[in-house]
Amino acid sequence: MEGSCLQFENPIRDAISRIRFAPQSNNLLVSSWDCSLRLYDVDGWALRLEAPTDSALLDCCFQNGSIAFSAGSDCYVRRYDLHSGIQDTIGNHDDLAICVEYCDETCQVVSAGWDNKIMLWDTRMKKAPGCVKIVGAEVESMSLSVFNLLVSAGASVNTYDLRMLERPAQAEQFLMGVQIKCLRSIPKSKGFAVGSIDGRVTLQIPYPSNSNDNGYTFRCHPKSKKGRDHLVAVNDIVFNPIICSAFVTCDDEGYVSSWDAQSRRRLFEVFV
C-alpha cells in the first residue's frame, strides 16, 4: 500500500493526542501535548491555524468548519474561531479535562474529566454548564453518536441518552474486565468498540434479529518477544464513515491495522 506523507515547515513538537476530520472539508484538526491546536489543509499541504495555549491539549473536536473545541490538562474547555484564531474559555473541570465532543442536535459541548464529571455546555449561553453527571470513576474515553453518549471509566462502559443524562436509570453498563484505553461509536449504529491496555478489541454490535449474537472480542496486536506474548495497548480505533464494517486500530509501538468487522478478519497491517 502506498500513500503520501504530509510535511510542513513547523512540525508538531510533542505527542499528538487526537486527530479529527472536518465535517465538510479535507481539513484535519490536531491537538497535541505541545500545548497547541492546529488546523491543516490536507489538499493544500498547509498549516491554516496554530493556536497555542499554556497547557497540554488532551482532546479536540469540531462544531463546524469554523468553530472547534479542546480539552486541556489545565482543566479548561476552550472554543476556537478557526478563521481568526481567537479563543475563549467556555468552562472548566475540577481536574484534567480529558474528552470533548459536540452535539449538533442539542447545540451542546460535552466534556468529561478526571473529576468524575460529565458536563454539558450550551454554546449559546455563558459558561454555566447545563447539566453535570457524576460518574463513579475517572473518565478515560468518550464517544458521541447523535444522542448516544458512551463513557468509559476503568474497565466499564456506560451508555447514556444525552437528552436524559440526569437520569441514572438510563445508563447501561458493559464490563470488559481490564482497563479500557479507547472507546469509539460505530457509525449508523448504537454499537461501539473498545480497545484495552492488554491489546484486546471488543465490538459490541446490536443485532435485533438475534439477541444472542451481539459482538465479539479478539486480540488485536499480539506480539511475541523471546517466545512469550508481548501485549501492546490499543491506543485508538477509527471507523470508516462510509464503509461501516471497516475500521482501523493503532498501538503505541507504531502498528496500524485495518479490519473488516463483518468478516472478522484483518485486511492489512503497516508499521508507521
Side-chain angles (χ1 to χ4, degrees):
M1 185 181 68
E2 296 182 357
S4 299
C5 179
L6 300 180
Q7 297 183 0
F8 302 97
E9 293 182 0
N10 299 313
I12 298 173
R13 296 174 293 276
D14 207 332
I16 293 172
S17 57
R18 193 67 184 269
I19 297 176
R20 301 267 195 165
F21 286 95
Q24 296 181 338
S25 67
N26 202 16
N27 289 344
L28 291 177
L29 187 69
V30 180
S31 57
S32 172
W33 281 77
D34 71 356
C35 307
S36 288
L37 184 76
R38 295 173 175 85
L39 181 69
Y40 291 100
D41 178 352
V42 176
D43 292 331
W45 289 30
L47 175 63
R48 295 300 183 195
L49 174 72
E50 181 173 352
T53 64
D54 295 328
S55 62
L57 299 182
L58 307 180
D59 199 3
C60 64
C61 71
F62 282 100
Q63 174 178 332
N64 50 46
S66 302
I67 302 294
F69 302 94
S70 72
S73 61
D74 60 354
C75 312
Y76 285 101
V77 179
R78 292 181 173 85
R79 172 171 46 198
Y80 302 80
D81 184 314
L82 298 177
H83 296 307
S84 66
I86 296 174
Q87 57 179 280
D88 66 322
T89 300
I90 66 170
N92 67 281
H93 284 259
D94 296 326
D95 204 332
L96 274 68
I98 297 296
C99 311
V100 64
E101 297 277 359
Y102 181 77
C103 180
D104 285 312
E105 287 73 18
T106 63
C107 299
Q108 289 175 311
V109 177
V110 186
S111 64
W114 278 8
D115 56 359
N116 299 6
K117 293 179 183 178
I118 305 169
M119 292 185 173
L120 305 185
W121 313 86
D122 191 328
T123 56
R124 299 162 297 186
M125 301 175 63
K126 289 188 177 180
K127 297 196 175 183
C131 180
V132 177
K133 174 69 180 179
I134 307 297
V135 295
E138 296 174 346
V139 175
E140 296 289 347
S141 188
M142 183 174 72
S143 186
L144 178 65
S145 178
V146 191
F147 297 115
N148 192 41
L149 180 66
L150 303 172
V151 178
S152 71
S156 67
V157 174
N158 290 308
T159 304
Y160 301 95
D161 187 325
L162 199 60
R163 297 163 294 185
M164 299 178 286
L165 190 62
E166 71 280 0
R167 299 186 184 181
Q170 296 296 319
E172 298 178 2
Q173 194 173 67
F174 162 83
L175 295 175
M176 191 171 186
V178 67
Q179 183 178 341
I180 293 170
K181 181 77 170 180
C182 58
L183 166 67
R184 297 293 175 259
S185 301
I186 298 176
K188 303 176 184 178
S189 165
K190 289 187 177 181
F192 59 88
V194 294
S196 71
I197 60 171
D198 70 347
R200 285 185 291 167
V201 169
T202 295
L203 277 81
Q204 195 77 359
I205 308 171
Y207 293 106
S209 60
N210 186 352
S211 60
N212 295 323
D213 186 9
N214 61 354
Y216 57 92
T217 300
F218 64 96
R219 190 72 66 182
C220 183
H221 295 274
K223 306 293 186 295
S224 178
K225 287 187 175 181
K226 297 181 180 180
R228 301 178 61 184
D229 288 338
H230 173 57
L231 305 180
V232 182
V234 180
N235 279 347
D236 203 0
I237 302 171
V238 180
F239 282 88
N240 188 310
I242 299 175
I243 306 173
C244 295
S245 65
F247 65 98
V248 174
T249 61
C250 63
D251 66 19
D252 58 4
E253 291 194 346
Y255 287 92
V256 176
S257 295
S258 178
W259 308 86
D260 185 336
Q262 188 171 2
S263 64
R264 303 189 181 189
R265 65 186 182 91
R266 191 201 311 264
L267 301 178
F268 61 84
E269 181 179 80
V270 295
F271 179 73
V272 295

